[in-house]
Amino acid sequence: KEKASLMKNFLKSKKFDKVIIQNKSTNTYEDALYLKNLLPQKEKSSFILITSSAHQRRAYNTFKRIFKGTIWNYPTNDIFSFYSPLLPLGWIVNITNAIKDKRYNNKLF
């Protein structure tokens, strides 16, 4: 919750006038459902999806199940992050996300 309020304050300082922070969900699918209820145009809304690069593909696929508008991906970290695909821990995170993406969204890529 603290990170969410920091992000909201940062975006408002950069002159973003509409920033919605949702902090009730326990997983990505709930994120999409809660957000849908907060947006004025519901499933036709367009927005920027901000999440870690390791989670980006799965989050995008999950949100595309709920929303028909345009979704712009914006990963929060780069290739040298803690979950880098160049490191063994990064392999585990990326493989785990691919398995979850297949399970929940029926997509591998």
Side-chain angles (χ1 to χ4, degrees):
K1 290 183 180 185
E2 184 179 320
K3 289 180 184 179
S5 64
L6 287 172
M7 176 58 79
K8 184 174 186 174
N9 292 337
F10 171 77
L11 291 171
K12 286 195 175 239
S13 75
K14 299 296 182 189
K15 308 297 184 217
F16 282 83
D17 59 340
K18 294 182 182 181
V19 178
I20 299 171
I21 302 294
Q22 181 285 117
N23 56 11
K24 296 178 185 176
S25 62
T26 59
N27 59 49
T28 307
Y29 185 71
E30 285 180 5
D31 280 339
L33 290 178
Y34 283 127
L35 182 60
K36 179 180 175 182
N37 291 327
L38 293 172
L39 295 174
Q41 295 180 342
K42 304 294 180 202
E43 66 271 352
K44 292 184 180 181
S45 293
S46 296
F47 55 88
I48 301 170
L49 179 61
I50 302 172
T51 190
S52 68
S53 57
H55 182 243
Q56 196 75 51
R57 183 188 69 248
R58 183 168 56 91
Y60 176 82
N61 287 336
T62 301
F63 274 72
K64 282 308 274 185
R65 287 175 50 202
I66 304 296
F67 293 97
K68 304 304 179 228
T70 303
I71 300 173
W72 293 279
N73 282 325
Y74 190 83
T76 58
N77 47 19
D78 60 24
I79 196 167
F80 298 109
S81 72
F82 186 68
Y83 297 123
S84 169
L86 302 175
L87 302 172
L89 183 57
W91 304 339
I92 293 168
V93 169
N94 286 301
I95 289 169
T96 301
N97 275 316
I99 291 168
K100 287 180 178 180
D101 204 14
K102 176 65 176 155
R103 180 177 175 192
Y104 299 122
N105 299 314
N106 203 28
K107 290 186 176 188
L108 274 179
F109 297 101

